[in-house]
Coordinates of all heavy atoms in Angstrom, one line a residue:
M17 N 17.2 5.6 14.9 CA 17.2 6.3 16.1 C 16.7 5.4 17.3 O 17.3 5.4 18.4 CB 16.1 7.4 16.0 CG 16.0 8.2 17.2 SD 17.4 9.2 17.8 CE 17.1 10.7 16.9
A18 N 15.8 4.5 17.1 CA 15.4 3.5 18.0 C 16.5 2.5 18.5 O 16.6 2.2 19.6 CB 14.2 2.8 17.6
A19 N 17.3 2.2 17.6 CA 18.4 1.3 17.9 C 19.5 1.9 18.7 O 20.2 1.3 19.4 CB 19.1 0.7 16.5
L20 N 19.6 3.3 18.7 CA 20.6 4.0 19.4 C 20.2 4.2 20.9 O 21.1 4.4 21.7 CB 20.7 5.4 18.8 CG 21.4 5.5 17.4 CD1 21.5 6.9 17.0 CD2 22.7 4.8 17.4
T21 N 19.0 3.8 21.3 CA 18.6 3.9 22.6 C 19.3 2.8 23.5 O 19.4 2.9 24.7 CB 17.1 3.8 22.8 OG1 16.7 2.5 22.3 CG2 16.3 5.0 22.2
G22 N 19.7 1.8 22.8 CA 20.6 0.8 23.5 C 22.0 1.3 23.9 O 22.6 0.5 24.6
L23 N 22.4 2.4 23.3 CA 23.7 2.8 23.6 C 23.8 3.9 24.7 O 24.9 4.4 25.0 CB 24.4 3.4 22.4 CG 24.4 2.4 21.1 CD1 25.0 3.2 19.9 CD2 25.3 1.3 21.5
V24 N 22.7 4.2 25.3 CA 22.7 5.3 26.3 C 23.5 4.8 27.7 O 23.5 3.6 27.9 CB 21.3 5.8 26.7 CG1 20.6 6.3 25.5 CG2 20.5 4.6 27.3
Q25 N 24.0 5.8 28.3 CA 24.8 5.5 29.5 C 24.1 6.0 30.8 O 24.5 5.5 31.9 CB 26.2 6.2 29.5 CG 27.0 5.8 28.3 CD 27.4 4.3 28.4 OE1 27.8 3.9 29.5 NE2 27.6 3.6 27.3
S26 N 23.1 6.9 30.7 CA 22.4 7.4 31.9 C 20.9 7.6 31.7 O 20.4 7.4 30.4 CB 23.1 8.7 32.3 OG 22.7 9.7 31.4
V27 N 20.2 7.8 32.7 CA 18.7 8.0 32.5 C 18.5 9.3 31.6 O 17.6 9.3 30.9 CB 18.1 8.2 33.9 CG1 16.7 8.6 33.8 CG2 18.2 6.8 34.7
H28 N 19.3 10.3 31.9 CA 19.1 11.6 31.1 C 19.3 11.4 29.6 O 18.6 11.9 28.8 CB 19.9 12.7 31.6 CG 19.6 13.1 33.0 ND1 18.4 13.6 33.4 CD2 20.3 12.9 34.2 CE1 18.4 13.8 34.8 NE2 19.6 13.4 35.2
Q29 N 20.3 10.5 29.3 CA 20.5 10.2 27.9 C 19.4 9.4 27.3 O 18.9 9.6 26.1 CB 21.8 9.5 27.7 CG 23.0 10.3 27.9 CD 24.3 9.5 27.8 OE1 24.3 8.2 27.7 NE2 25.5 10.2 27.8
L30 N 18.8 8.5 28.1 CA 17.6 7.8 27.7 C 16.5 8.7 27.4 O 15.7 8.6 26.4 CB 17.2 6.7 28.7 CG 16.0 5.9 28.3 CD1 16.3 5.1 27.1 CD2 15.7 5.0 29.5
Y31 N 16.2 9.7 28.3 CA 15.1 10.6 28.2 C 15.3 11.4 26.8 O 14.3 11.6 26.1 CB 15.0 11.5 29.3 CG 14.6 10.9 30.6 CD1 14.9 11.4 31.8 CD2 13.8 9.8 30.6 CE1 14.4 10.9 33.0 CE2 13.3 9.2 31.8 CZ 13.7 9.8 33.0 OH 13.3 9.2 34.2
L32 N 16.5 11.8 26.6 CA 16.8 12.6 25.4 C 16.6 11.7 24.2 O 16.0 12.2 23.2 CB 18.2 13.2 25.5 CG 18.7 14.0 24.3 CD1 17.8 15.2 24.1 CD2 20.1 14.3 24.3
A33 N 17.1 10.5 24.2 CA 17.0 9.7 23.0 C 15.5 9.4 22.7 O 15.1 9.3 21.5 CB 17.8 8.4 23.2
R34 N 14.7 9.1 23.8 CA 13.3 8.8 23.6 C 12.6 10.1 23.1 O 11.6 10.0 22.3 CB 12.6 8.3 24.9 CG 13.2 7.0 25.4 CD 12.9 5.9 24.3 NE 11.5 5.7 24.1 CZ 11.0 4.9 23.3 NH1 11.7 4.2 22.5 NH2 9.6 4.8 23.2
F35 N 13.0 11.3 23.6 CA 12.3 12.4 23.1 C 12.6 12.7 21.6 O 11.7 13.0 20.8 CB 12.8 13.7 23.9 CG 12.3 15.0 23.5 CD1 11.0 15.4 23.7 CD2 13.1 15.9 22.8 CE1 10.5 16.6 23.3 CE2 12.6 17.1 22.4 CZ 11.3 17.4 22.5
L36 N 13.9 12.5 21.3 CA 14.2 12.7 19.8 C 13.5 11.6 18.9 O 13.2 11.9 17.8 CB 15.8 12.6 19.7 CG 16.5 13.7 20.2 CD1 18.0 13.4 20.2 CD2 16.2 15.1 19.7
L37 N 13.4 10.4 19.5 CA 12.7 9.4 18.7 C 11.3 9.8 18.5 O 10.6 9.7 17.5 CB 12.7 8.0 19.4 CG 12.0 6.9 18.8 CD1 12.6 6.6 17.4 CD2 12.0 5.7 19.7
G38 N 10.6 10.4 19.6 CA 9.3 10.9 19.4 C 9.1 12.0 18.5 O 8.2 12.1 17.6
L39 N 10.1 12.9 18.4 CA 10.1 13.9 17.4 C 10.2 13.4 16.0 O 9.5 13.8 15.1 CB 11.2 14.9 17.6 CG 11.1 15.9 18.8 CD1 12.3 16.8 18.9 CD2 9.9 16.8 18.5
A40 N 11.0 12.4 15.9 CA 11.3 11.8 14.5 C 10.0 11.1 14.0 O 9.8 11.1 12.8 CB 12.5 10.9 14.5
E41 N 9.3 10.5 15.0 CA 8.1 9.7 14.5 C 6.8 10.4 14.7 O 5.7 9.8 14.5 CB 8.2 8.4 15.3 CG 9.3 7.4 15.0 CD 9.2 6.1 15.8 OE1 8.4 6.0 16.7 OE2 9.9 5.2 15.4
A42 N 6.8 11.7 15.0 CA 5.6 12.3 15.3 C 4.7 12.4 14.1 O 3.4 12.3 14.2 CB 5.9 13.8 15.8
G43 N 5.2 12.6 12.9 CA 4.3 12.8 11.7 C 4.2 11.4 11.0 O 3.5 11.4 9.9
Y44 N 4.6 10.3 11.5 CA 4.5 9.1 10.8 C 3.0 8.7 10.6 O 2.6 8.4 9.5 CB 5.2 7.9 11.6 CG 5.1 6.6 11.0 CD1 5.7 6.2 9.9 CD2 4.2 5.6 11.7 CE1 5.5 5.0 9.3 CE2 4.1 4.4 11.1 CZ 4.7 4.0 9.9 OH 4.5 2.8 9.4
Y45 N 2.3 8.6 11.8 CA 0.8 8.1 11.6 C 0.0 9.0 10.8 O -0.7 8.6 9.8 CB 0.2 7.9 13.0 CG -1.2 7.5 12.9 CD1 -1.5 6.1 12.7 CD2 -2.2 8.4 13.2 CE1 -2.8 5.8 12.6 CE2 -3.6 8.0 13.1 CZ -3.9 6.7 12.8 OH -5.1 6.3 12.8
P46 N 0.0 10.4 11.0 CA -0.8 11.2 10.2 C -0.4 11.2 8.7 O -1.2 11.3 7.8 CB -0.5 12.6 10.7 CG -0.1 12.4 12.2 CD 0.6 11.1 12.1
G47 N 0.9 11.0 8.5 CA 1.4 11.0 7.1 C 1.0 9.7 6.4 O 0.5 9.8 5.2
I48 N 0.9 8.6 7.0 CA 0.4 7.4 6.5 C -1.0 7.5 6.2 O -1.5 7.1 5.1 CB 0.8 6.2 7.4 CG1 2.2 5.9 7.5 CG2 0.0 4.9 6.9 CD1 2.9 5.5 6.2
V49 N -1.8 8.0 7.1 CA -3.2 8.2 6.9 C -3.5 9.1 5.8 O -4.4 8.8 4.8 CB -3.9 8.7 8.1 CG1 -5.4 9.0 7.9 CG2 -3.8 7.6 9.3
L50 N -2.8 10.2 5.6 CA -2.9 11.1 4.5 C -2.6 10.4 3.2 O -3.4 10.5 2.2 CB -2.0 12.3 4.6 CG -2.1 13.3 3.5 CD1 -3.4 14.0 3.5 CD2 -0.9 14.3 3.7
Y51 N -1.5 9.7 3.1 CA -1.2 8.9 1.9 C -2.2 7.8 1.5 O -2.5 7.7 0.3 CB 0.2 8.3 1.9 CG 1.3 9.3 1.6 CD1 2.3 9.5 2.6 CD2 1.3 10.0 0.5 CE1 3.3 10.4 2.3 CE2 2.3 10.9 0.2 CZ 3.3 11.1 1.2 OH 4.3 12.0 0.9
L52 N -2.8 7.2 2.5 CA -3.8 6.3 2.3 C -5.0 6.9 1.6 O -5.7 6.2 0.8 CB -4.1 5.5 3.5 CG -3.2 4.4 4.0 CD1 -3.6 3.9 5.3 CD2 -2.8 3.5 3.1
T53 N -5.4 8.1 2.0 CA -6.5 8.8 1.3 C -6.2 9.2 -0.2 O -7.1 9.2 -1.0 CB -6.8 10.1 2.1 OG1 -5.7 10.9 2.1 CG2 -7.2 9.8 3.6
Y54 N -4.9 9.3 -0.5 CA -4.5 9.6 -1.9 C -4.5 8.4 -2.7 O -4.9 8.4 -3.9 CB -3.1 10.2 -2.0 CG -3.0 11.6 -1.3 CD1 -1.7 12.0 -1.0 CD2 -4.0 12.4 -1.2 CE1 -1.6 13.3 -0.4 CE2 -3.9 13.7 -0.7 CZ -2.6 14.1 -0.2 OH -2.5 15.4 0.3
W55 N -4.2 7.2 -2.2 CA -4.0 6.0 -2.9 C -5.3 5.1 -3.1 O -5.3 4.4 -4.0 CB -2.9 5.1 -2.3 CG -1.5 5.8 -2.4 CD1 -1.1 6.8 -3.2 CD2 -0.4 5.4 -1.6 NE1 0.2 7.0 -3.0 CE2 0.7 6.2 -2.1 CE3 -0.2 4.5 -0.6 CZ2 2.0 6.2 -1.5 CZ3 1.0 4.5 -0.1 CH2 2.1 5.3 -0.4
F56 N -6.2 5.3 -2.2 CA -7.3 4.4 -2.2 C -8.6 5.2 -2.3 O -8.7 6.3 -1.8 CB -7.4 3.5 -0.9 CG -6.2 2.5 -0.8 CD1 -5.1 2.8 -0.1 CD2 -6.3 1.3 -1.5 CE1 -4.1 2.0 0.0 CE2 -5.2 0.4 -1.4 CZ -4.1 0.8 -0.7
R57 N -9.6 4.6 -2.9 CA -10.9 5.3 -3.0 C -11.6 5.3 -1.6 O -11.2 4.6 -0.7 CB -11.8 4.4 -3.9 CG -11.3 4.4 -5.3 CD -12.3 3.7 -6.3 NE -11.7 3.5 -7.5 CZ -11.8 2.4 -8.2 NH1 -12.5 1.4 -7.8 NH2 -11.2 2.3 -9.4
Q58 N -12.5 6.1 -1.4 CA -13.1 6.3 -0.1 C -13.7 5.0 0.4 O -13.6 4.8 1.6 CB -14.2 7.4 -0.2 CG -14.7 7.8 1.2 CD -15.5 9.1 1.1 OE1 -15.9 9.5 0.0 NE2 -16.0 9.6 2.3
R59 N -14.4 4.2 -0.4 CA -15.0 3.0 0.1 C -13.9 2.0 0.4 O -14.2 1.0 1.2 CB -15.9 2.4 -0.8 CG -15.4 2.0 -2.1 CD -16.4 1.4 -3.1 NE -15.7 0.9 -4.3 CZ -16.2 1.3 -5.5 NH1 -17.2 2.2 -5.6 NH2 -15.6 0.9 -6.5
E60 N -12.7 2.1 0.0 CA -11.6 1.1 0.4 C -10.7 1.6 1.5 O -10.0 0.9 2.1 CB -10.8 0.9 -0.9 CG -11.4 0.3 -2.1 CD -10.5 0.4 -3.3 OE1 -9.6 1.1 -3.4 OE2 -10.8 -0.4 -4.3
Q61 N -10.9 2.9 1.9 CA -10.0 3.4 2.9 C -10.2 2.9 4.3 O -9.3 2.6 5.0 CB -10.2 5.0 3.0 CG -9.7 5.7 1.8 CD -9.9 7.2 1.8 OE1 -10.5 7.7 2.8 NE2 -9.6 7.8 0.8
A62 N -11.4 2.5 4.6 CA -11.7 1.9 6.0 C -11.0 0.5 6.1 O -10.3 0.3 7.1 CB -13.1 1.8 6.2
R63 N -11.1 -0.2 5.1 CA -10.4 -1.6 5.1 C -8.9 -1.4 5.1 O -8.2 -2.2 5.9 CB -10.9 -2.5 3.9 CG -10.3 -3.8 3.9 CD -10.8 -4.6 2.7 NE -12.2 -4.6 2.6 CZ -12.8 -4.8 1.6 NH1 -12.2 -5.1 0.5 NH2 -14.1 -4.7 1.5
T64 N -8.4 -0.5 4.3 CA -6.9 -0.3 4.2 C -6.5 0.3 5.5 O -5.4 -0.2 6.0 CB -6.6 0.7 3.1 OG1 -7.2 0.2 1.9 CG2 -5.2 0.8 2.9
L65 N -7.1 1.2 6.2 CA -6.6 1.7 7.5 C -6.7 0.7 8.5 O -5.8 0.6 9.4 CB -7.5 2.9 7.8 CG -7.1 3.6 9.1 CD1 -5.7 4.2 8.9 CD2 -8.0 4.9 9.4
A66 N -7.7 -0.2 8.5 CA -7.8 -1.3 9.5 C -6.7 -2.3 9.3 O -6.0 -2.7 10.3 CB -9.2 -2.0 9.4
L67 N -6.3 -2.5 8.1 CA -5.1 -3.4 7.8 C -3.8 -2.8 8.3 O -3.0 -3.4 8.9 CB -5.0 -3.8 6.4 CG -4.0 -4.7 6.0 CD1 -4.2 -6.1 6.7 CD2 -4.0 -4.9 4.4
F68 N -3.7 -1.5 8.1 CA -2.6 -0.8 8.6 C -2.5 -0.8 10.1 O -1.4 -1.0 10.7 CB -2.6 0.7 8.1 CG -1.5 1.6 8.7 CD1 -0.2 1.4 8.4 CD2 -1.9 2.6 9.5 CE1 0.7 2.2 9.0 CE2 -1.0 3.5 10.2 CZ 0.4 3.2 9.9
L69 N -3.6 -0.6 10.7 CA -3.7 -0.6 12.2 C -3.3 -2.0 12.8 O -3.0 -2.1 14.0 CB -5.0 0.0 12.7 CG -5.2 1.5 12.4 CD1 -6.5 1.9 12.9 CD2 -4.1 2.3 13.2
T70 N -3.6 -3.1 12.1 CA -3.2 -4.4 12.6 C -1.8 -4.6 12.7 O -1.3 -5.6 13.3 CB -3.9 -5.5 11.8 OG1 -3.6 -5.4 10.5 CG2 -5.4 -5.4 11.9
G71 N -1.1 -3.8 12.1 CA 0.4 -3.9 12.1 C 1.0 -3.8 13.5 O 2.0 -4.3 13.9
Y72 N 0.4 -2.9 14.3 CA 0.9 -2.6 15.7 C 0.7 -3.9 16.6 O 1.7 -4.2 17.1 CB 0.2 -1.4 16.4 CG 0.6 -1.1 17.7 CD1 1.9 -0.6 17.9 CD2 -0.1 -1.5 18.8 CE1 2.4 -0.3 19.1 CE2 0.4 -1.2 20.1 CZ 1.6 -0.6 20.3 OH 2.1 -0.4 21.5
P73 N -0.5 -4.5 16.6 CA -0.5 -5.7 17.5 C 0.4 -6.9 16.9 O 1.0 -7.6 17.7 CB -1.9 -6.2 17.4 CG -2.7 -5.1 16.8 CD -1.7 -4.2 16.2
V74 N 0.5 -7.0 15.6 CA 1.4 -8.0 15.1 C 2.9 -7.7 15.4 O 3.6 -8.6 15.9 CB 1.3 -8.1 13.6 CG1 2.4 -9.0 12.9 CG2 -0.1 -8.7 13.2
A75 N 3.3 -6.5 15.4 CA 4.6 -6.1 15.8 C 4.9 -6.3 17.2 O 6.0 -6.7 17.7 CB 4.9 -4.7 15.4
S76 N 3.7 -6.1 18.0 CA 4.0 -6.3 19.5 C 4.2 -7.8 19.8 O 5.0 -8.2 20.7 CB 2.8 -5.8 20.2 OG 2.7 -4.5 20.1
I77 N 3.5 -8.7 19.0 CA 3.6 -10.1 19.3 C 5.0 -10.6 18.8 O 5.7 -11.3 19.5 CB 2.5 -10.9 18.5 CG1 1.2 -10.6 19.1 CG2 2.8 -12.4 18.4 CD1 0.0 -11.1 18.3
L78 N 5.4 -10.1 17.7 CA 6.8 -10.5 17.2 C 7.9 -10.0 18.0 O 9.0 -10.5 18.0 CB 6.9 -10.1 15.7 CG 6.1 -10.8 14.7 CD1 6.2 -10.3 13.3 CD2 6.3 -12.3 14.7
G79 N 7.7 -8.8 18.6 CA 8.7 -8.1 19.4 C 8.7 -8.5 20.8 O 9.6 -8.1 21.6
A80 N 7.8 -9.4 21.2 CA 7.8 -9.8 22.7 C 9.1 -10.6 22.9 O 9.6 -11.4 22.1 CB 6.6 -10.7 22.8
S81 N 9.6 -10.4 24.1 CA 10.8 -10.9 24.5 C 10.9 -12.5 24.6 O 11.9 -13.1 24.5 CB 11.4 -10.3 25.9 OG 10.4 -10.6 26.8
D82 N 9.7 -13.1 24.9 CA 9.7 -14.6 25.0 C 9.4 -15.2 23.7 O 9.3 -16.4 23.5 CB 8.7 -15.0 26.0 CG 7.2 -14.4 25.8 OD1 7.1 -13.5 25.0 OD2 6.4 -14.9 26.4
F83 N 9.1 -14.4 22.6 CA 8.8 -15.0 21.4 C 10.2 -15.4 20.7 O 11.1 -14.7 20.7 CB 8.1 -13.9 20.4 CG 7.6 -14.5 19.2 CD1 6.5 -15.2 19.2 CD2 8.2 -14.2 18.0 CE1 5.9 -15.7 18.0 CE2 7.7 -14.6 16.8 CZ 6.6 -15.5 16.8
P84 N 10.2 -16.6 20.2 CA 11.5 -17.2 19.8 C 12.1 -16.3 18.7 O 13.4 -16.2 18.6 CB 11.2 -18.5 19.2 CG 9.9 -18.9 19.8 CD 9.2 -17.6 20.0
A85 N 11.4 -15.7 17.8 CA 12.0 -15.0 16.7 C 12.2 -13.5 17.0 O 12.6 -12.7 16.1 CB 11.1 -15.0 15.5
S86 N 12.0 -13.0 18.4 CA 12.2 -11.7 18.7 C 13.5 -11.1 18.4 O 13.6 -10.0 17.9 CB 11.8 -11.4 20.0 OG 12.7 -12.0 21.0
F87 N 14.6 -11.8 18.6 CA 15.9 -11.4 18.3 C 16.1 -11.1 16.8 O 16.6 -10.1 16.4 CB 17.0 -12.4 18.8 CG 18.4 -12.0 18.4 CD1 19.1 -11.0 19.0 CD2 18.9 -12.7 17.3 CE1 20.3 -10.7 18.4 CE2 20.2 -12.3 16.8 CZ 20.9 -11.4 17.5
W88 N 15.7 -12.0 16.0 CA 15.8 -11.9 14.6 C 15.0 -10.8 14.1 O 15.4 -10.0 13.2 CB 15.5 -13.2 13.9 CG 16.6 -14.2 14.3 CD1 16.4 -15.3 15.0 CD2 18.0 -14.2 13.9 NE1 17.6 -16.0 15.1 CE2 18.6 -15.3 14.4 CE3 18.8 -13.3 13.1 CZ2 20.0 -15.5 14.3 CZ3 20.1 -13.5 12.9 CH2 20.7 -14.7 13.6
A89 N 13.8 -10.6 14.6 CA 12.9 -9.5 14.2 C 13.5 -8.2 14.5 O 13.5 -7.3 13.6 CB 11.5 -9.6 14.8
R90 N 14.1 -8.0 15.7 CA 14.7 -6.8 16.0 C 16.0 -6.5 15.3 O 16.3 -5.4 14.8 CB 15.0 -6.8 17.5 CG 13.8 -6.6 18.4 CD 14.2 -6.5 19.8 NE 12.9 -6.5 20.6 CZ 12.8 -7.2 21.8 NH1 13.7 -8.0 22.2 NH2 11.7 -7.2 22.3
A91 N 16.8 -7.6 15.0 CA 18.0 -7.5 14.3 C 17.7 -7.1 12.8 O 18.4 -6.2 12.2 CB 18.8 -8.8 14.2
L92 N 16.7 -7.7 12.2 CA 16.4 -7.3 10.8 C 15.8 -5.9 10.7 O 16.1 -5.1 9.7 CB 15.3 -8.3 10.3 CG 15.9 -9.7 10.0 CD1 14.8 -10.6 9.6 CD2 16.9 -9.6 8.9
A93 N 15.1 -5.5 11.7 CA 14.6 -4.2 11.7 C 15.7 -3.2 11.8 O 15.7 -2.1 11.2 CB 13.5 -3.9 12.9
A94 N 16.7 -3.4 12.7 CA 17.8 -2.5 12.8 C 18.6 -2.5 11.6 O 19.1 -1.4 11.2 CB 18.7 -2.9 14.0
L95 N 18.8 -3.6 10.9 CA 19.6 -3.7 9.7 C 18.9 -2.9 8.6 O 19.5 -2.2 7.8 CB 19.9 -5.1 9.3 CG 20.9 -5.8 10.1 CD1 21.0 -7.3 9.7 CD2 22.3 -5.2 10.0
G96 N 17.6 -3.0 8.5 CA 16.8 -2.3 7.5 C 16.9 -0.8 7.7 O 17.1 -0.1 6.8
K97 N 16.8 -0.3 9.0 CA 17.0 1.1 9.2 C 18.4 1.6 8.9 O 18.6 2.7 8.3 CB 16.6 1.4 10.6 CG 15.2 1.1 11.0 CD 14.9 1.4 12.5 CE 13.5 1.0 12.8 NZ 13.2 1.1 14.2
L98 N 19.4 0.8 9.2 CA 20.8 1.2 8.9 C 20.9 1.3 7.4 O 21.6 2.1 6.8 CB 21.7 0.2 9.5 CG 21.8 0.4 11.0 CD1 22.8 -0.8 11.5 CD2 22.4 1.7 11.4
A99 N 20.3 0.3 6.6 CA 20.4 0.3 5.1 C 19.8 1.5 4.5 O 20.3 2.2 3.6 CB 19.9 -1.0 4.6
V100 N 18.6 1.9 5.1 CA 17.9 3.1 4.5 C 18.7 4.3 4.9 O 18.9 5.2 4.1 CB 16.5 3.1 5.2 CG1 15.9 4.5 4.9 CG2 15.6 2.0 4.6
A101 N 19.4 4.4 6.1 CA 20.1 5.5 6.5 C 21.3 5.6 5.7 O 21.8 6.8 5.3 CB 20.4 5.5 8.0
A102 N 22.0 4.5 5.3 CA 23.2 4.5 4.5 C 22.8 5.0 3.0 O 23.7 5.6 2.4 CB 23.8 3.2 4.5
H103 N 21.7 4.6 2.6 CA 21.3 4.9 1.2 C 20.9 6.4 1.1 O 21.0 7.0 0.0 CB 20.1 4.0 0.8 CG 19.8 4.2 -0.7 ND1 19.1 5.2 -1.1 CD2 20.1 3.3 -1.7 CE1 18.9 5.0 -2.5 NE2 19.5 3.9 -2.8
S104 N 20.4 7.0 2.2 CA 19.9 8.3 2.1 C 21.0 9.4 1.9 O 22.1 9.3 2.3 CB 19.2 8.8 3.4 OG 18.1 7.9 3.5

């Protein structure tokens, strides 16, 4: 869904694409936190959640436009999403 935002032709299509992306990802964070509570003991949950939350800054650094590997990081992410969608 995020890769499709590059195909929009107008501002209204961009608004619609971003809204649909928000709907698709709305349950991602609460779902991950819920699964982490199932998989880890209570004393390990804080460390695990902290590790999960460090993924956002790392992704921001790798996705920065001046970072040399940003093109490859985005390309691999799009290919991974396409592979998952084709497999589903």
Side-chain angles (χ1 to χ4, degrees):
M17 180 61 94
L20 295 178
T21 59
L23 302 176
V24 298
Q25 300 290 326
S26 68
V27 172
H28 296 297
Q29 289 177 350
L30 178 64
Y31 291 156
L32 179 65
R34 294 299 296 176
F35 177 75
L36 293 175
L37 178 63
L39 283 178
E41 293 183 350
Y44 175 72
Y45 178 78
I48 292 295
V49 172
L50 179 67
Y51 278 122
L52 290 177
T53 63
Y54 293 157
W55 292 341
F56 294 97
R57 296 183 190 139
Q58 190 171 5
R59 64 175 181 241
E60 299 171 340
Q61 287 177 7
R63 184 179 310 158
T64 305
L65 186 59
L67 184 61
F68 170 69
L69 291 175
T70 57
Y72 181 74
V74 170
S76 296
I77 291 169
L78 292 177
S81 60
D82 58 345
F83 192 73
S86 66
F87 170 76
W88 293 110
R90 289 184 185 136
L92 289 175
L95 286 175
K97 291 176 185 176
L98 289 174
V100 169
H103 189 281
S104 300

